[in-house]
């Protein structure tokens, strides 16, 4: 990306945060849908990749069904963006009313036990809203990880945005994030990580919708090393303004095996929980990048192509 492209990208995101959050909510909703439909009609690389990924989730779907699904997926994706641009202006009441979580006791009981909790999520619906709800409704701060973006000013925008929602944000690069996350967990804290796509060459290979993909080992390794609970979380939208979510049962650390073997088993269990949520609400899975190894160049690890991504 050239310096001019970087300045344009940063300016567009700045415009979004500065303008969209001032719009009335119905206007922002219509704007998001209009942009989504326009992008879908253009059938750019992101839309084509989204449709290709949905074909893995629904292998028997007709081309017409996949096109319908990708249109719904783009509308869900733009709903994420409209909500995220507006989140800093939402009142605490609006944040609390904007999310409904099922089986929340897995999280609250884990925090009450003081062992620390790792929440691991796929790119479903709006994880920033879920995070804001945790800090607002549960009054529980947490730590997360963000990939360094280009330009640096855009990365700073995302860090400031998430910190403004009550999150502690660590850079993904640099090698120190894991140690800091482990300390937070040993202190009984909460760590939240988006974990359905590996950002390094050290991810764990898993079977995901019948094919091999690579997912980060970090959530499983943190749970092993600190004794924290590892809880998968899936999110989805319905026809209401309220986002829905489910906290899945804890993923146990295997009693036998090497550290790597245990991480492999646990990461596969995470992938299975993610697949359950994605299969139920595929249109809310915002995966506009290559994920399965068969789609990647030989020897190439996935690169960050989406500024929302973060986490190992």
């Amino acid at each position: 990306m050239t310096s001019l492209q970087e300045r344009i990208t940063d300016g567009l995101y700045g415009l979004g945060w500065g303008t969209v959050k001032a719009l009335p909510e119905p206007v922002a909703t219509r704007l998001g849908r209009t942009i989504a439909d326009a992008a879908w009609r253009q059938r750019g690389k992101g839309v084509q990749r989204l449709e290709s990924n949905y074909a893995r989730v629904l292998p028997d779907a007709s081309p017409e069904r996949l096109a319908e699904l990708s249109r719904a997926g783009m509308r869900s994706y733009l709903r994420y963006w409209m909500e995220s641009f507006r989140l800093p202006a939402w009142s605490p009441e609006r944040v609390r009313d904007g999310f409904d979580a099922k089986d929340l006791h897995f999280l609250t009981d884990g925090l009450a036990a003081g062992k620390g909790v790792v929440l691991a999520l796929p790119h479903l619906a709006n994880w920033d809203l879920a995070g804001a709800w945790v800090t607002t409704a549960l009054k529980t701060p947490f730590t997360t990880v963000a990939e360094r973006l280009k330009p640096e000013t855009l990365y700073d925008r995302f860090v400031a945005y998430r910190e403004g929602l009550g999150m502690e944000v660590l850079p993904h690069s640099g090698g120190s994030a894991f140690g800091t996350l482990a300390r937070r967990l040993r202190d009984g804290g909460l760590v939240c990580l988006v974990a359905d796509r590996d950002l390094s060459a050290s991810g764990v290979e898993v079977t995901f919708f019948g094919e091999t993909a690579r997912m980060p080992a970090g959530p499983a390794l943190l749970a092993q090393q600190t004794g924290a609970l590892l809880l998968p979380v899936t999110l989805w939208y319905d026809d209401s303004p309220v986002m829905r979510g489910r906290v899945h049962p804890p993923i146990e650390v295997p009693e036998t095996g090497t550290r790597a073997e245990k991480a492999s088993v646990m990461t596969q269990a995470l992938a299975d929980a993610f697949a359950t949520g994605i299969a139920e609400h595929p249109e809310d899975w915002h995966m506009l990048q290559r994920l399965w190894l068969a789609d990647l160049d030989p020897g190439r690890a996935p690169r960050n192509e989406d500024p929302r991504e973060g986490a190992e």
Side-chain angles (χ1 to χ4, degrees):
M1 186 182 290
T2 67
S3 60
L4 176 58
Q5 289 173 320
E6 290 178 353
R7 290 198 298 272
I8 291 173
T9 299
D10 181 57
L12 289 173
Y13 281 102
L15 181 65
W17 269 300
T19 303
V20 173
K21 71 179 180 182
L23 295 175
E25 191 157 340
V27 175
T29 299
R30 289 195 298 271
L31 175 62
R33 180 162 291 200
T34 299
I35 295 171
D37 288 350
W40 177 78
R41 285 192 295 269
Q42 290 178 1
R43 292 196 59 79
K45 290 183 179 179
V47 173
Q48 293 179 48
R49 177 54 54 190
L50 183 66
E51 208 163 286
S52 175
N53 289 339
Y54 287 158
R56 292 308 208 313
V57 177
L58 299 172
D60 297 327
S62 66
E64 293 77 16
R65 170 62 178 142
L66 290 174
E68 176 186 271
L69 193 59
S70 66
R71 183 177 188 180
M74 289 304 295
R75 288 182 172 185
S76 176
Y77 184 52
L78 264 294
R79 176 173 172 175
Y80 163 85
W81 280 112
M82 293 298 110
E83 285 180 347
S84 295
F85 286 143
R86 292 173 54 76
L87 260 177
W90 281 14
S91 68
E93 292 75 20
R94 177 69 179 88
V95 173
R96 287 194 293 266
D97 293 342
F99 180 51
D100 175 54
K102 300 178 183 296
D103 297 324
L104 187 63
H105 65 279
F106 289 122
L107 171 59
T108 54
D109 290 352
L111 291 172
K115 296 174 58 177
V117 175
V118 180
L119 294 181
L121 306 86
H123 285 79
L124 275 169
N126 190 339
W127 43 98
D128 285 332
L129 172 55
W133 186 87
V134 167
T135 61
T136 302
L138 299 185
K139 301 188 184 305
T140 302
F142 65 88
T143 305
T144 189
V145 175
E147 178 72 0
R148 282 201 174 277
L149 306 170
K150 294 294 184 181
E152 191 75 14
T153 51
L154 180 57
Y155 170 76
D156 292 340
R157 284 187 191 275
F158 271 90
V159 170
Y161 157 65
R162 288 178 170 138
E163 287 179 342
L165 299 176
M167 311 174 193
E168 179 188 21
V169 182
L170 306 176
H172 181 271
S173 58
S176 62
F178 188 93
T180 302
L181 295 174
R183 287 194 294 274
R184 299 291 183 268
L185 292 168
R186 290 193 185 97
D187 290 339
L190 176 63
V191 165
C192 300
L193 301 172
V194 181
D196 57 344
R197 183 169 178 263
D198 182 48
L199 295 175
S200 72
S202 59
V204 175
E205 290 190 4
V206 297
T207 300
F208 195 53
F209 291 104
E211 294 191 42
T212 303
R214 188 184 295 122
M215 294 187 181
L221 292 174
L222 283 166
Q224 279 190 63
Q225 186 165 313
T226 67
L229 281 183
L230 175 55
L231 301 176
V233 176
T234 53
L235 309 170
W236 67 93
Y237 291 126
D238 57 20
D239 293 331
S240 77
V242 179
M243 184 177 71
R244 313 295 174 177
R246 175 177 291 112
V247 182
H248 295 253
I251 291 176
E252 303 293 337
V253 178
E255 294 183 1
T256 60
T258 65
R259 186 169 181 257
E261 289 168 345
K262 291 178 181 179
S264 179
V265 171
M266 296 170 73
T267 305
Q268 181 63 62
L270 266 184
D272 293 342
F274 292 167
T276 297
I278 292 167
E280 291 174 351
H281 305 279
E283 69 278 5
D284 293 322
W285 189 40
H286 307 153
M287 185 55 66
L288 281 73
Q289 302 82 29
R290 292 179 176 88
L291 175 69
W292 282 273
L293 298 192
D295 293 334
L296 298 168
D297 294 335
R300 175 187 166 192
R303 294 173 55 248
N304 181 30
E305 301 168 12
D306 183 335
R308 299 178 307 162
E309 294 197 74
E312 181 179 60

